[in-house]
Amino acid sequence: GSPVPPEERRLRDKKHLDDITAARLPPLHHSPAKLLSIEESIAIQIQQKEAYEEMQAKLAAQKLAERLNIKMLRFEPEGNASMQYREVRDED
């Protein structure tokens, strides 16, 4: 025994693992974790909670509308509906 260089030893160990197991770590799709201050963490949690509650409210309104069979129609007070009335004219 002569000592094996660390790089060669690492490659040999990796090849050995490849030979004995098919398990692989999933590829890293996101940036690695980073440390946040307590203030940043709380701000992010509050923002996520508000977004979650807004989504829940929209979903609840949608389910309720479906259950009550309510159709949401577009309301345009200045649109075509206002033109359907007769114009009032002075008769001098």
Side-chain angles (χ1 to χ4, degrees), residues 13-91:
D13 291 347
K14 185 174 188 274
K15 184 180 182 321
H16 175 70
L17 280 176
D18 288 345
D19 291 343
I20 63 172
T21 181
R24 297 273 186 274
L25 289 175
L28 186 63
H29 293 292
H30 305 288
S31 60
K34 64 178 183 175
L35 294 176
L36 295 177
S37 69
I38 294 294
E39 292 81 15
E40 287 178 305
S41 177
I42 291 171
I44 290 172
Q45 288 179 24
I46 290 171
Q47 180 183 7
Q48 289 177 338
K49 181 181 177 218
E50 289 172 353
Y52 173 77
E53 288 174 350
E54 182 180 333
M55 186 62 64
Q56 289 294 101
K58 285 181 182 178
L59 183 61
Q62 181 182 2
K63 285 184 176 181
L64 182 62
E66 288 173 1
R67 209 163 89 202
L68 297 176
N69 200 17
I70 297 174
K71 302 291 185 212
M72 300 300 286
L73 300 176
R74 190 178 181 114
F75 178 65
E76 298 178 14
E78 302 297 323
N80 295 335
S82 65
M83 296 297 174
Q84 294 175 355
Y85 295 102
R86 293 184 302 186
E87 292 182 11
V88 177
R89 296 188 181 137
D90 290 335
E91 296 180 10

